[in-house]
Amino acid sequence: MNDNDLITAVREPFADVFMATPVEAVVTRGRAVRRRRRRLQGVAGAVAAVTAGVVSILLAVVLGGRAAAPVTLTAWTVVTEPNGTVAVSIHDLRDPLGLEHALRAHGVAAIVRFHRSGSLMPGCVIPGGSRLALTYRRVFLQRPAGSSGGALLYIDPAAVPRTAEVGIDAARGSGFGIALLTKHAQCLPPSRPSTIGIGSS
Amino acid sequence: MGTKRIDVDFAEFYASARDDCLRAVMASTGDREASEDFVAEAFARAWASWRKVGRHPAPSAWVVRTALNLRVSSWRRSKHAAALDDQDALRAADRTNLGPVDPEIMAALMALPERQRQVIALRIFLDMDTAGTAKALGIAPGTVTAHLARAVAVLRAQFSPHSPAERQ
């Protein structure tokens, strides 16, 4: 038996096999397939969008709570440096509540006030050589070792007394003041505002 | 490509290819009714993707390959079928599922390994060459040649005069 005979031997018994399904039934089924495919694509898109939203919210909550993610806005920037200090840069005196929340997310309880002019935080006088002055120096750091530099203010969250909050008070053209405040926003104890400038002011 | 044009093109393709696709799938599966279901579903998917399938170099091979994949998916969904090998499947199948095909011919085909059956089906029923068969099945052309040679050798022994199949 040669190859042609073999092919004929295999093919011939199938000669009476015919497809009975009409083309209309196939097309109807095809339309259903296409509808289901489009519906699944729509659901997949919606699921992807919802998942992305949930993930971003979870990341914001989890990472924000752990003070790990830098929060960057045009008005100000809060970054936790590798050495644990929180670097604060203020570019514009906007959204003080947002800055408070960002600082809290980075482990710094803070009260932030921005003013159009004048009226800085009432002067807080730190007795020279006191333990409180030492606490201030531990909380508000000069450019710490290992920091990237360039920030306006460096805060060590671990050095902030448990009963205190960080106060930041700024006015356009008048620099800004920093202080440790009681929970009632009172100076701990009153001290003179810092004269470190903001941006070009 | 407009919807009407798609329907016309597809209807022409369906009319010309449906029987050969069914025969090829049936030669691979050994079940007439199930093959018709798989092939009809494969054609429906071809219609749903006709902009792509219509430009395929061998749309019939696409349909057969899809039908065979559907059969595999169907098997995987069925615990009972998954436990059966081809011989068991043939024995368990109702002989009426073979339609007009001689059961001994089908038995000879079903005695082949599945991949050899698929190669035979594409070569004989779709007149595909080695390269096209290889592309349709996702295997190397050399593998197609080897499968074909082994399958032909076995079938020739089966169909030759005084072969065991014919003595039965």
Side-chain angles (χ1 to χ4, degrees):
Chain A
M1 177 182 276
N2 62 31
D3 285 356
N4 286 337
D5 293 339
L6 182 64
I7 289 171
T8 303
V10 175
R11 194 200 296 260
E12 212 163 65
F14 289 86
D16 292 330
V17 173
F18 298 105
M19 189 88 180
T21 309
V23 68
E24 292 79 14
V26 171
V27 170
T28 301
R29 171 66 186 146
R31 289 202 173 95
V33 168
R34 198 161 62 182
R35 273 197 304 274
R36 187 185 62 182
R37 191 182 298 161
R38 285 177 179 166
R39 198 163 53 238
L40 287 175
Q41 284 170 348
V43 169
V47 167
V50 169
T51 303
V54 169
V55 168
S56 62
I57 290 169
L58 286 176
L59 282 176
V61 170
V62 173
L63 297 180
R66 292 181 183 171
V71 176
T72 304
L73 292 176
T74 53
W76 37 261
T77 307
V78 179
V79 177
T80 295
E81 304 261 335
N83 59 13
T85 60
V86 175
V88 182
S89 299
I90 299 176
H91 316 293
D92 192 8
L93 301 185
R94 287 191 291 111
D95 192 18
L97 286 178
L99 179 54
E100 282 184 9
H101 289 140
L103 284 166
R104 283 179 197 278
H106 284 253
V108 178
I111 296 174
V112 180
R113 298 287 180 269
F114 292 154
H115 311 278
R116 286 184 179 277
S117 61
S119 115
L120 285 173
M121 189 181 298
C124 297
V125 180
I126 308 169
S130 67
R131 287 178 58 189
L132 195 58
L134 184 62
T135 303
Y136 264 70
R137 280 199 293 275
R138 285 176 178 158
V139 171
F140 302 108
L141 305 167
Q142 299 296 322
R143 180 179 170 177
S147 108
S148 54
L152 178 67
L153 175 66
Y154 294 92
I155 301 169
D156 182 358
V160 178
R162 275 184 298 176
T163 56
E165 292 181 327
V166 168
I168 299 175
D169 190 6
R172 200 174 302 281
S174 304
F176 77 101
I178 51 175
L180 290 174
L181 307 175
T182 67
K183 297 295 182 187
H184 304 291
Q186 300 297 313
C187 283
L188 189 68
S191 81
R192 186 169 303 170
S194 163
T195 54
I196 303 172
I198 300 174
S200 60
S201 60
Chain B
M1 201 184 294
T3 307
K4 280 189 178 176
R5 185 72 215 159
I6 287 175
D7 286 346
V8 170
D9 284 354
F10 178 80
E12 288 174 0
F13 165 65
Y14 184 71
S16 65
R18 60 183 177 181
D19 295 332
D20 283 338
C21 288
L22 174 62
R23 290 163 190 159
V25 173
M26 189 180 166
S28 297
T29 65
D31 187 325
R32 164 77 178 78
E33 289 178 11
S35 296
E36 171 129 7
D37 291 343
F38 295 138
V39 171
E41 177 67 17
F43 269 111
R45 294 186 184 191
W47 183 89
S49 304
W50 187 244
R51 281 184 172 80
K52 182 186 80 175
V53 178
R55 290 197 296 266
H56 193 281
S60 301
W62 187 96
V63 169
V64 170
R65 174 86 185 262
T66 301
L68 294 175
N69 287 343
L70 287 168
R71 178 204 177 215
V72 171
S73 302
S74 168
W75 265 16
R76 285 177 181 155
R77 282 195 295 272
S78 165
K79 279 192 247 176
H80 175 67
L84 301 174
D85 64 16
D86 291 339
Q87 290 298 311
D88 292 335
L90 180 64
R91 280 193 292 271
D94 183 344
R95 288 300 173 102
T96 58
N97 279 350
L98 298 177
V101 178
D102 181 350
E104 300 307 330
I105 297 289
M106 188 56 79
L109 282 171
M110 297 304 289
L112 299 173
E114 184 171 9
R115 191 58 105 184
Q116 290 183 22
R117 286 202 307 273
Q118 292 174 355
V119 169
I120 283 282
L122 290 176
R123 292 297 300 267
I124 290 180
F125 293 105
L126 299 188
D127 288 326
M128 296 192 70
D129 59 12
T130 300
T133 304
K135 198 167 183 182
L137 296 177
I139 56 180
T143 309
V144 170
T145 305
H147 281 317
L148 189 64
R150 289 183 198 130
V152 165
V154 171
L155 291 176
R156 185 173 284 133
Q158 292 274 326
F159 297 149
S160 291
H162 314 300
S163 70
E166 293 195 2
R167 280 197 297 269
Q168 284 174 356

